[in-house]
Amino acid sequence: MITSDDLYKVMCAMVPLYFAMLVAYGSVKWWKIFTPSQCSGINRFVAVFAVPILSFHFISQNNPYEMDTRFIAADTLSKVLVLASLSAWTAFFNGSLEWLITLFSVATLPNTLVMGIPLLKAMYGDFTQSLMVQVVVLQCIIWYTLLLFLLEYRAATELIRNQFPGPTAASIAKIELDGDVISLDGRDPICTESEVDNNGRIRVRIRRSTSSAPDSALSSTVGITPRASNLSNVEIFSINTPGPLHEYHHSGTDISFGIGDLAFGCRSASPRLSGYASSDAYSLQPTPRASNFNELDSISVTTATTPVWVKSPISGKVFNRPASPVLSGITEKEISFRECTITSGPEPPDKKQEATAATPQEMPNALVMLKLILTVVGRKLSRNPNTYSSILGLLWSLISFKWNLGMPSLVKYSIKIISDAGLGMAMFSLGLFMALQPRLIACGTKMATISMAIRFISGPLVMSAACLAVRLRGVRLHAAIVQAALPQGIVPFVFAREYGVHPDILSTGVIFGMLVSLPVTLLYYILLGL
């Protein structure tokens, strides 16, 4: 039976976290203490130092040789059940991969590190900290990686579908990535070069248009375009500072373009117009901004007769001259599977008819796609500070508990002083993010209600079934159910924002979920204690 003292203990653990979030919200919304650029600086600290060191602190103190296998099995089984159900729905009922990713994120990936550890520790005792750390390790190493894999797979299929429509893609034998191509999410200016050999096999090279453009004369005018956002530019848990917008206007023409929007057959890939502040947690990727162009979904191909607008590096004027010749058998295409601009002039009527004709889409060999996706996923993870903190924390725990080694006091207390501030700073950063959003419920009332029902009802129900399947009983069963009812995790929202996959739903899950999660988890706590 839950007593008033038990409830007071839980409130003592959670109210300070919500107080930090409320202070941050008021500092921006009411008292105007912080500007958006100052908020970005705070979030840089949270992304680079506070949260990764907090993760390392918890993981390094957890004994990996005494993991609760049944608890981990229940958590894993619940996620597998959801993923299998959504996969069957996608395969047999014409469901979309975008909704599979979104529903999987909402149902199975809660904010365990920031909210779960203090809440469950206050409810059920110190032993639950070890359980939550085990869940955090699996989330960082397995489930976030799987989520990133699905998102990159979606991006790769969209890339192939737009750049090599119809049966052409089946002839692709090799896809090479330049070393500076980090992701296929469409945030960077990326181009493709394809070459057909004598056997009809296609070799594709993916490169950044700014790093190795065909004509170096434009090197000073081709770059990543800072996009003007329709909202504030604070970044939740981000280490990116948005740059100013620059435009060129030529008096004798109707041309108006941002830096990086002009190139020989390749242009900065512009993400969708967003209704959110930028939110790149644990990421080194540039922040996408709403484009100053009205962009259309199309394919951009450079030929020897294609007119290209060129800015003279000497006079600063804009000229119209033919593009540089392209080698025989080699074509260059623009990768922007979100939004693209036609640069080659009007299409002939017969070409339009061919483009609109319904042709079955084929894909390259599975091994070619797998190699491509694994490469970009590995590069993306290598730029995530939390990846290193999780792996280093796990390695240290394996060594220290195996040979009973203690961390040197100098290192231990250096880490502790930052990790102690990690929870508060993470909640403070969430408060800043909430204050800079125009609406707390970004996806509409109906969709918000559905997502909250999935998060706080379906998630715990699936977890309960998984616990019963592995015969998890007692306090650990209660802890697993309450953990499944925690608010939406931040990292899935960040991925959704980067790849343009229902960020409004995940944003609502983070913001509105934080507000309703405390009463919901307390209700589960009381009901399970009866």
Side-chain angles (χ1 to χ4, degrees), residues 69 182 254 293 527:
T69 54
I182 305 301
D254 295 328
F293 267 39
L527 293 177

Side-chain angles (χ1 to χ4, degrees), residues 146-190:
L146 175 62
L147 184 63
L148 188 59
F149 184 92
L150 293 174
L151 289 166
E152 288 291 350
Y153 172 77
R154 170 188 171 273
T157 54
E158 290 294 321
L159 182 157
I160 298 297
R161 184 177 294 110
N162 288 340
Q163 301 302 310
F164 302 94
T168 307
S171 301
I172 297 177
K174 186 176 183 180
I175 301 178
E176 296 179 351
L177 284 173
D178 278 12
D180 55 357
V181 177
I182 305 301
S183 175
L184 304 178
D185 58 8
R187 295 158 60 91
D188 291 330
I190 303 174

Side-chain angles (χ1 to χ4, degrees), residues 209-210 213-223 262-265 308-313 321:
S209 60
T210 57
D215 194 334
S216 60
L218 283 183
S219 59
S220 62
T221 64
V222 180
L262 188 63
F264 286 107
V308 178
W309 294 102
V310 180
K311 178 181 179 294
S312 170
R321 73 169 179 83

Side-chain angles (χ1 to χ4, degrees), residues 165-167 350-361:
D350 56 342
K351 187 174 181 180
K352 290 183 179 180
Q353 292 175 2
E354 292 177 3
T356 56
T359 56
Q361 176 65 47

